Short mmCIF file of all heavy atoms in Angstrom, two decimals:
data_model
loop_
_atom_site.label_atom_id
_atom_site.label_comp_id
_atom_site.label_asym_id
_atom_site.label_seq_id
_atom_site.Cartn_x
_atom_site.Cartn_y
_atom_site.Cartn_z
N TYR F 158 -35.19 28.46 -15.26
CA TYR F 158 -35.39 28.04 -16.63
C TYR F 158 -35.87 26.54 -16.75
O TYR F 158 -35.27 25.68 -16.12
CB TYR F 158 -34.08 28.18 -17.44
CG TYR F 158 -34.21 27.74 -18.85
CD1 TYR F 158 -34.78 28.59 -19.82
CD2 TYR F 158 -33.83 26.50 -19.25
CE1 TYR F 158 -34.91 28.18 -21.13
CE2 TYR F 158 -34.00 26.07 -20.58
CZ TYR F 158 -34.51 26.92 -21.50
OH TYR F 158 -34.64 26.49 -22.77
N GLY F 159 -36.97 26.38 -17.45
CA GLY F 159 -37.38 24.96 -17.76
C GLY F 159 -37.81 24.16 -16.56
O GLY F 159 -37.71 22.94 -16.55
N LEU F 160 -38.34 24.86 -15.51
CA LEU F 160 -38.78 24.16 -14.30
C LEU F 160 -40.23 23.74 -14.47
O LEU F 160 -41.08 24.47 -14.99
CB LEU F 160 -38.67 25.11 -13.11
CG LEU F 160 -39.17 24.53 -11.80
CD1 LEU F 160 -38.14 23.67 -11.13
CD2 LEU F 160 -39.58 25.65 -10.83
N THR F 161 -40.56 22.53 -13.98
CA THR F 161 -41.97 22.05 -13.91
C THR F 161 -42.39 22.05 -12.45
O THR F 161 -41.57 21.63 -11.61
CB THR F 161 -42.08 20.61 -14.48
OG1 THR F 161 -41.68 20.65 -15.86
CG2 THR F 161 -43.45 20.10 -14.39
N SER F 162 -43.55 22.62 -12.18
CA SER F 162 -44.05 22.58 -10.82
C SER F 162 -45.48 22.08 -10.82
O SER F 162 -46.31 22.62 -11.53
CB SER F 162 -44.00 23.98 -10.19
OG SER F 162 -44.49 24.00 -8.89
N VAL F 163 -45.77 21.00 -10.06
CA VAL F 163 -47.12 20.47 -10.08
C VAL F 163 -47.66 20.39 -8.64
O VAL F 163 -46.90 20.18 -7.66
CB VAL F 163 -47.13 19.06 -10.70
CG1 VAL F 163 -46.69 19.09 -12.11
CG2 VAL F 163 -46.34 18.02 -9.91
N ASN F 164 -48.94 20.62 -8.53
CA ASN F 164 -49.73 20.36 -7.29
C ASN F 164 -49.14 20.97 -6.06
O ASN F 164 -48.96 20.24 -5.00
CB ASN F 164 -49.89 18.84 -7.17
CG ASN F 164 -50.66 18.21 -8.31
OD1 ASN F 164 -51.40 18.92 -8.98
ND2 ASN F 164 -50.45 16.94 -8.57
N SER F 165 -48.84 22.25 -6.08
CA SER F 165 -48.40 22.92 -4.88
C SER F 165 -49.50 22.92 -3.82
O SER F 165 -50.66 22.88 -4.17
CB SER F 165 -48.02 24.37 -5.22
OG SER F 165 -49.13 25.01 -5.82
N GLN F 166 -49.12 22.98 -2.56
CA GLN F 166 -50.11 23.13 -1.46
C GLN F 166 -50.81 24.45 -1.62
O GLN F 166 -51.99 24.58 -1.47
CB GLN F 166 -49.46 23.04 -0.10
CG GLN F 166 -48.95 21.71 0.25
CD GLN F 166 -48.40 21.65 1.70
OE1 GLN F 166 -48.25 22.71 2.34
NE2 GLN F 166 -48.07 20.50 2.20
N LEU F 167 -49.94 25.50 -1.77
CA LEU F 167 -50.45 26.89 -1.91
C LEU F 167 -49.92 27.41 -3.21
O LEU F 167 -50.00 26.71 -4.21
CB LEU F 167 -49.93 27.69 -0.68
CG LEU F 167 -50.57 28.99 -0.36
CD1 LEU F 167 -52.05 28.79 0.10
CD2 LEU F 167 -49.92 29.74 0.72
N PHE F 168 -49.31 28.60 -3.31
CA PHE F 168 -48.78 29.08 -4.57
C PHE F 168 -47.66 28.16 -5.09
O PHE F 168 -46.97 27.51 -4.33
CB PHE F 168 -48.20 30.47 -4.40
CG PHE F 168 -49.20 31.51 -3.98
CD1 PHE F 168 -48.79 32.83 -3.72
CD2 PHE F 168 -50.55 31.22 -3.85
CE1 PHE F 168 -49.72 33.83 -3.35
CE2 PHE F 168 -51.47 32.20 -3.45
CZ PHE F 168 -51.07 33.50 -3.20
N HIS F 169 -47.49 28.21 -6.43
CA HIS F 169 -46.36 27.40 -6.95
C HIS F 169 -45.02 28.22 -6.80
O HIS F 169 -44.08 27.66 -6.28
CB HIS F 169 -46.62 27.07 -8.44
CG HIS F 169 -47.59 25.98 -8.64
ND1 HIS F 169 -48.95 26.18 -8.67
CD2 HIS F 169 -47.42 24.63 -8.79
CE1 HIS F 169 -49.58 25.03 -8.81
NE2 HIS F 169 -48.66 24.06 -8.93
N VAL F 170 -45.01 29.41 -7.31
CA VAL F 170 -43.76 30.24 -7.26
C VAL F 170 -44.09 31.62 -6.71
O VAL F 170 -45.04 32.28 -7.18
CB VAL F 170 -43.14 30.39 -8.66
CG1 VAL F 170 -41.84 31.20 -8.60
CG2 VAL F 170 -42.85 29.02 -9.26
N VAL F 171 -43.36 32.10 -5.76
CA VAL F 171 -43.53 33.45 -5.23
C VAL F 171 -42.24 34.23 -5.36
O VAL F 171 -41.14 33.72 -4.96
CB VAL F 171 -43.99 33.43 -3.75
CG1 VAL F 171 -43.86 34.81 -3.12
CG2 VAL F 171 -45.45 32.92 -3.63
N ILE F 172 -42.35 35.45 -5.89
CA ILE F 172 -41.19 36.36 -6.02
C ILE F 172 -41.50 37.54 -5.11
O ILE F 172 -42.40 38.33 -5.41
CB ILE F 172 -41.03 36.88 -7.47
CG1 ILE F 172 -41.07 35.76 -8.46
CG2 ILE F 172 -39.80 37.74 -7.61
CD1 ILE F 172 -39.82 34.92 -8.54
N LEU F 173 -40.74 37.68 -4.00
CA LEU F 173 -41.08 38.70 -3.00
C LEU F 173 -39.87 39.55 -2.70
O LEU F 173 -38.79 39.02 -2.36
CB LEU F 173 -41.58 37.99 -1.72
CG LEU F 173 -42.12 38.83 -0.60
CD1 LEU F 173 -43.39 39.56 -1.03
CD2 LEU F 173 -42.38 37.95 0.63
N ALA F 174 -39.98 40.84 -2.88
CA ALA F 174 -38.87 41.76 -2.64
C ALA F 174 -37.59 41.36 -3.39
O ALA F 174 -36.50 41.31 -2.83
CB ALA F 174 -38.62 41.84 -1.14
N CYS F 175 -37.75 41.13 -4.68
CA CYS F 175 -36.60 40.72 -5.53
C CYS F 175 -36.43 41.77 -6.64
O CYS F 175 -37.33 42.56 -6.92
CB CYS F 175 -36.88 39.37 -6.17
SG CYS F 175 -36.94 38.01 -5.00
N LYS F 176 -35.24 41.73 -7.28
CA LYS F 176 -34.95 42.55 -8.42
C LYS F 176 -34.40 41.68 -9.53
O LYS F 176 -33.66 40.75 -9.24
CB LYS F 176 -33.93 43.65 -8.06
CG LYS F 176 -34.51 44.76 -7.27
CD LYS F 176 -33.51 45.91 -7.06
CE LYS F 176 -34.06 46.90 -6.11
NZ LYS F 176 -33.10 47.34 -5.12
N ASN F 177 -34.65 42.10 -10.77
CA ASN F 177 -34.09 41.42 -11.92
C ASN F 177 -34.15 39.89 -11.84
O ASN F 177 -33.09 39.23 -11.69
CB ASN F 177 -32.61 41.91 -12.15
CG ASN F 177 -32.02 41.32 -13.37
OD1 ASN F 177 -32.67 41.11 -14.39
ND2 ASN F 177 -30.71 40.97 -13.36
N THR F 178 -35.33 39.38 -11.98
CA THR F 178 -35.47 37.93 -11.89
C THR F 178 -36.29 37.44 -13.15
O THR F 178 -37.28 38.07 -13.47
CB THR F 178 -36.19 37.52 -10.58
OG1 THR F 178 -35.26 37.70 -9.52
CG2 THR F 178 -36.70 36.10 -10.61
N THR F 179 -35.84 36.40 -13.79
CA THR F 179 -36.52 35.96 -15.00
C THR F 179 -36.98 34.49 -14.76
O THR F 179 -36.19 33.63 -14.33
CB THR F 179 -35.54 35.97 -16.20
OG1 THR F 179 -35.19 37.35 -16.43
CG2 THR F 179 -36.14 35.44 -17.45
N LEU F 180 -38.24 34.23 -15.11
CA LEU F 180 -38.75 32.89 -15.12
C LEU F 180 -39.07 32.56 -16.57
O LEU F 180 -39.85 33.27 -17.20
CB LEU F 180 -40.05 32.79 -14.29
CG LEU F 180 -40.03 33.40 -12.85
CD1 LEU F 180 -41.39 33.22 -12.21
CD2 LEU F 180 -38.96 32.71 -12.02
N GLN F 181 -38.48 31.55 -17.09
CA GLN F 181 -38.67 31.21 -18.54
C GLN F 181 -38.86 29.73 -18.71
O GLN F 181 -38.23 28.92 -18.10
CB GLN F 181 -37.43 31.64 -19.31
CG GLN F 181 -37.60 31.44 -20.83
CD GLN F 181 -36.46 32.04 -21.63
OE1 GLN F 181 -35.41 32.38 -21.12
NE2 GLN F 181 -36.70 32.17 -22.91
N GLY F 182 -39.81 29.41 -19.59
CA GLY F 182 -40.03 28.02 -19.97
C GLY F 182 -40.56 27.20 -18.79
O GLY F 182 -40.22 26.02 -18.64
N LEU F 183 -41.44 27.80 -18.00
CA LEU F 183 -42.03 27.06 -16.84
C LEU F 183 -43.27 26.27 -17.28
O LEU F 183 -43.98 26.70 -18.17
CB LEU F 183 -42.43 28.02 -15.74
CG LEU F 183 -41.34 28.29 -14.67
CD1 LEU F 183 -40.04 28.76 -15.31
CD2 LEU F 183 -41.82 29.28 -13.65
N ASN F 184 -43.47 25.17 -16.61
CA ASN F 184 -44.70 24.36 -16.78
C ASN F 184 -45.27 24.24 -15.43
O ASN F 184 -44.73 23.60 -14.53
CB ASN F 184 -44.25 22.96 -17.25
CG ASN F 184 -44.85 22.68 -18.59
OD1 ASN F 184 -46.02 22.87 -18.83
ND2 ASN F 184 -43.94 22.26 -19.50
N ILE F 185 -46.44 24.86 -15.21
CA ILE F 185 -47.02 24.85 -13.89
C ILE F 185 -48.43 24.25 -13.93
O ILE F 185 -49.26 24.69 -14.80
CB ILE F 185 -47.09 26.26 -13.32
CG1 ILE F 185 -45.65 26.79 -13.14
CG2 ILE F 185 -47.86 26.32 -11.97
CD1 ILE F 185 -45.54 28.21 -12.57
N MET F 186 -48.70 23.23 -13.16
CA MET F 186 -49.95 22.52 -13.29
C MET F 186 -50.56 22.12 -11.95
O MET F 186 -49.87 21.58 -11.08
CB MET F 186 -49.71 21.20 -14.07
CG MET F 186 -49.62 21.36 -15.57
SD MET F 186 -49.02 19.88 -16.31
CE MET F 186 -47.28 19.90 -15.81
N ALA F 187 -51.82 22.40 -11.81
CA ALA F 187 -52.63 21.92 -10.70
C ALA F 187 -54.08 21.89 -11.20
O ALA F 187 -54.40 22.60 -12.14
CB ALA F 187 -52.52 22.85 -9.49
N PRO F 188 -54.93 21.09 -10.59
CA PRO F 188 -56.26 20.91 -11.10
C PRO F 188 -57.08 22.21 -10.99
O PRO F 188 -56.82 23.04 -10.10
CB PRO F 188 -56.90 19.81 -10.27
CG PRO F 188 -55.73 19.12 -9.61
CD PRO F 188 -54.66 20.12 -9.49
#
Side-chain angles (χ1 to χ4, degrees):
Y158 179 81
L160 177 82
T161 297
S162 178
V163 300
N164 299 337
S165 56
Q166 289 185 352
L167 197 68
F168 297 177
H169 284 84
V170 181
V171 167
I172 309 285
L173 187 65
C175 294
K176 285 186 186 135
N177 183 35
T178 288
T179 297
L180 311 179
Q181 183 173 16
L183 268 55
N184 243 309
I185 296 181
M186 282 167 287

